[in-house]
Amino acid sequence: MFGKVLVANRGEIAVRIIRALREMGIGSVAVYSDADRESLHARLADEAYHVGPAPATESYLKIEGLIEVARRSGAEAVHPGYGFLAESAPFARAVERAGLVWIGPHPEAIEAMGSKVESRRIMKEAGVPMVPGTEGEISSVEEVRAFGEKHGYPVAVKASAGGGGKGFAVAESEGAAEDAYGRARREGEAYFGDGSVYVERYLAGPRHIEIQVVRDKHGNAAHLGERDCSIQRRHQKLLEECPSPAIDPAMREEMGRAAVAAADAVDYDNVGTVEFLVEGDEFFFLEMNTRVQVEHPVTEEVTGIDVVQTSVRVAAGEKLPFAQDDVAWRGHSIEVRLNAEDAANNFAPSPGTVTVYEEPGGPGVRVDSSLREPGVVPESYDPLFAKLIVRGSDRPDALRRLRRALTEFRVEGIATTLPFFEAILDDEVFVKGAYTTGFVAERMEGLKMEPHSIGATADGAEEKTAREVEVEVNGKLFRVKVYGDEAGGGSAPVGSGAPQRRGKGGSAKRPAVSEGTVAAPMQGTIVKVFVEEGQEVSVDEPVCLLEAMKMESEIRAQKDGVVSEVLVEAGQAVRPGDALVVLE
């Protein structure tokens, strides 16, 4: 077994791996950027090394710098976690060339499953069910239209190297084919350095079900059952549960066999996840993630198998300590992702300083977090900062426990997804377990979520933010919300003495802008400008593409008009309220 392991990641997954290593008696080495100097993962590790400025391209994505830290620290292996370089075959090879052990599958498996085109070919040969799609990459929008004419619309255009909802666009009709083709290619190039795309039949209302697999270097393999990941927004998962409300034991075994066959087909040799789309009693291969997943805790809670420790043991050459017949599923587990996003404002990114942070506890409650006290959720990285995982004897029990834990979880200073999860627990479709991947789009308007702040005013007045205070009246304790500016001046309790619910965060103020000015709704970087001076635009027409916390958002015109000024360009950083385009 290893004596010391470098954790080439940050945030909650780095914390999770460091804790697993400590339980195994293995030393841990963390890396941190300027933005993460005071981070929990850097404080928890046995050793921590600075690797560069905040931008990931200058720190967490610098292969040479990470290898140098491994050498300096005396680490014997590297665990990449998820995201960043976790599915980078070049990084895996660089680790091996340096005489270190890569805690993940061999580079050839990463390459084979990282290419959506190649993985489809391999899975088809292995007999894994496939959604109808092109055999290889396409090179023109005409090929998208030809596929749509043959198979019908909608169709999905996907980046070959895509994943996590990036490089994915849907053409609902022939007229939307050009936009979908361009968006998928652009995101594939921007996020993965590969603009090649292919086309698949788009399943409008499927479940997104994934199977956790593990295969050692001796050819022993097993699956650990399914996770239902259908609650998503913009193809990014928000909630996962195990087992799925829609899968019976017979389908679980059938999907499990298909997942193991997928792992066998590429001689896989670590933990991984095979993702499927399920429609009725049919399932179709979607992709394979060649790493530990964000949602692995729900599998751990139900099976009792530590997925992270298993990945380390397999990489060290140990045989699987269990066979398929040893795997059992007991109870029900649900995970919700706490993102720095304003769920009531179309999940707009909300990075910043967390002023209050209190985790829930009690039986069946687990929190995997990048925080253990007030701190910062940096704008430079993914918005996920914590995961709340609950376990119950069955799904209704787990839902009751989730409701209780959510009321105890207190995060202030930023907007978060906590109100969204509180709201869906009152949604009959979710409670019945009858949801699909279309849940958020179909049910969002009906969800009752308390806004995080009063909101920007049209007359230029400063926006007020909410904070919670405790007051005692006649010997009884009340918690009330107080609104004030960012300096804390001015306040007015909400309500007339009745107890208020705990606040779940606030949002930064946004400077008011004049009518006709299209302003940035959030902090981020301009990816593309769609308009030029003198161009006529219509209401709701996109004028810019803005990226914030790994999410692209189209910024749209609020009225018809003619562009009189374009104030930004691609690559430019903007803050909330900055003017982007002026219309007359």
Side-chain angles (χ1 to χ4, degrees), residues 1 37 79 93 147 170 178 233 258-259 285 338 440 466 487 534:
M1 184 50 69
R37 193 176 298 275
H79 200 308
R93 289 195 175 96
F147 183 88
V170 177
E178 184 172 1
R233 58 94 179 90
F285 173 80
L338 273 66
V440 172

Side-chain angles (χ1 to χ4, degrees), residues 294-371:
V294 177
E295 57 272 20
H296 73 274
V298 294
T299 296
E300 295 180 327
E301 293 299 313
V302 173
T303 64
I305 295 172
D306 190 309
V307 173
V308 174
Q309 290 193 19
T310 299
S311 72
V312 176
R313 294 187 185 284
V314 169
E318 294 185 9
K319 291 185 178 181
L320 280 187
F322 53 84
Q324 188 64 66
D325 290 343
D326 299 321
V327 181
W329 296 268
R330 298 180 178 89
H332 195 97
S333 182
I334 303 173
E335 172 185 291
V336 298
R337 301 190 186 192
L338 273 66
N339 295 335
E341 296 176 331
D342 187 348
N345 185 27
N346 198 30
F347 295 97
S350 176
T353 300
V354 175
T355 56
V356 176
Y357 183 77
E358 296 177 3
E359 294 179 354
V365 175
R366 165 181 169 182
V367 178
D368 284 12
S369 178
S370 62
L371 301 171

Side-chain angles (χ1 to χ4, degrees), residues 414-488:
I414 62 172
T416 75
T417 46
L418 279 169
F420 171 78
F421 300 121
E422 292 179 319
I424 67 172
L425 286 175
D426 293 323
D427 183 275
E428 60 180 358
V429 171
F430 174 75
V431 172
K432 290 179 181 177
Y435 56 84
T436 69
T437 54
F439 176 87
V440 172
E442 296 163 2
R443 309 290 294 181
M444 195 69 181
E445 288 187 7
L447 299 181
K448 297 178 181 178
M449 286 185 285
E450 183 179 333
H452 295 283
S453 63
I454 294 176
T457 60
D459 60 2
E462 289 188 346
E463 182 180 15
K464 306 297 183 182
T465 56
R467 58 193 175 94
E468 184 184 273
V469 298
E470 296 179 346
V471 295
E472 185 178 303
V473 180
N474 295 327
K476 184 176 181 179
L477 186 66
F478 294 94
R479 295 183 178 90
V480 298
K481 278 192 174 180
V482 175
Y483 289 104
D485 58 28
E486 288 190 327

Side-chain angles (χ1 to χ4, degrees), residues 98-175:
L100 306 169
V101 176
W102 171 255
I103 302 180
H106 60 85
E108 292 73 25
I110 296 175
E111 285 179 331
M113 303 313 287
S115 167
K116 300 302 182 290
V117 173
E118 179 64 7
S119 65
R120 281 179 58 87
R121 183 191 66 77
I122 295 172
M123 293 303 99
K124 188 174 181 179
E125 290 182 359
V128 179
M130 306 293 300
V131 175
T134 53
E135 292 299 320
E137 66 182 80
I138 62 170
S139 56
S140 70
V141 68
E142 285 73 22
E143 291 178 82
V144 179
R145 294 182 176 129
F147 183 88
E149 184 176 348
K150 179 178 179 180
H151 295 277
Y153 287 94
V155 300
V157 186
K158 298 183 177 183
S160 180
K166 302 302 181 186
F168 180 100
V170 177
E172 298 285 351
S173 64
E174 181 179 351

Side-chain angles (χ1 to χ4, degrees), residues 4-34:
K4 187 184 294 187
V5 170
L6 169 69
V7 182
N9 216 297
R10 64 171 301 280
E12 68 87 15
I13 188 57
V15 171
R16 168 73 182 94
I17 296 167
I18 289 166
R19 286 173 170 159
L21 293 173
R22 184 157 293 159
E23 290 175 9
M24 300 176 73
I26 300 172
S28 58
V29 180
V31 291
Y32 63 89
S33 69
D34 288 348

Side-chain angles (χ1 to χ4, degrees), residues 525-529 544-545 566-574 579-580:
T525 302
I526 300 297
V527 176
K528 187 174 183 178
V529 178
C544 293
L545 187 68
V566 177
L567 304 173
V568 292
E569 60 185 15
Q572 182 174 335
V574 295
L580 309 178

